[in-house]
Amino acid sequence: MSELTSVLSELSPIKRVERYQQLASIVLDSYAFASGTPELLQHNSGITYRVPVRDTNQYVLLKIHDPIGEGPTPSATHIDARMNWLAEFGPVAPFAIQKPVPNRDGALVTTIIFPGLAHSIPCTLQQWVPGA
């Protein structure tokens, strides 16, 4: 079990929801757009949110790459390779894909050390693909 999952499991359901919202807000501060309230989708292979882009009809997918359970957790380098592949494939893809959104520094992976945790967690933001 990851450090973050362990911390979350010790919280009451109400405090856990508050913590999920806090985590999303911390990550979104690294991006140069105004967002609405993130909607938590799930915490399974990572923590995922559907985030409205303020003053538009668009959404983005926020993923905090912290899986539940045992097994390998992908490194920031591995996730960055995935995001770069999507960025390169997006313009020539014959179908809609979730294109990565760079952070304020131009990086496709944002690495965050959340309050109360000792280790950083990679996070990504991608364009929302309706129906995907």
Side-chain angles (χ1 to χ4, degrees), residues 104-119:
R104 291 180 192 274
D105 297 327
L108 299 179
V109 176
T110 302
T111 305
I112 303 283
I113 298 177
F114 293 104
L117 301 181
H119 298 85

Side-chain angles (χ1 to χ4, degrees), residues 90-108:
V92 297
F95 45 82
I97 65 166
Q98 295 172 326
K99 297 174 188 155
V101 176
N103 63 24
R104 291 180 192 274
D105 297 327
L108 299 179

Side-chain angles (χ1 to χ4, degrees), residues 13-36:
I14 291 173
K15 291 292 184 186
R16 192 174 310 129
V17 169
E18 291 172 1
R19 181 70 170 172
Y20 277 124
Q21 289 304 113
Q22 177 193 35
L23 296 171
S25 294
I26 290 168
V27 177
L28 290 169
D29 284 345
S30 298
Y31 292 85
F33 71 92
S35 64

Side-chain angles (χ1 to χ4, degrees), residues 13-92:
I14 291 173
K15 291 292 184 186
R16 192 174 310 129
V17 169
E18 291 172 1
R19 181 70 170 172
Y20 277 124
Q21 289 304 113
Q22 177 193 35
L23 296 171
S25 294
I26 290 168
V27 177
L28 290 169
D29 284 345
S30 298
Y31 292 85
F33 71 92
S35 64
T37 302
E39 173 190 353
L40 177 67
L41 299 176
Q42 70 175 2
H43 186 178
N44 192 8
S45 63
I47 305 169
T48 56
Y49 304 82
R50 180 179 180 218
V51 182
V53 178
R54 199 173 287 157
D55 300 325
T56 73
N57 290 327
Q58 298 178 343
Y59 295 87
V60 291
L61 172 70
L62 167 61
K63 186 165 186 181
I64 299 172
H65 295 267
D66 181 71
I68 289 179
E70 303 302 320
T73 300
S75 68
T77 302
H78 186 172
I79 295 165
D80 188 58
R82 290 183 198 166
M83 294 300 108
N84 277 293
W85 184 87
L86 286 170
E88 292 293 321
F89 184 59
V92 297

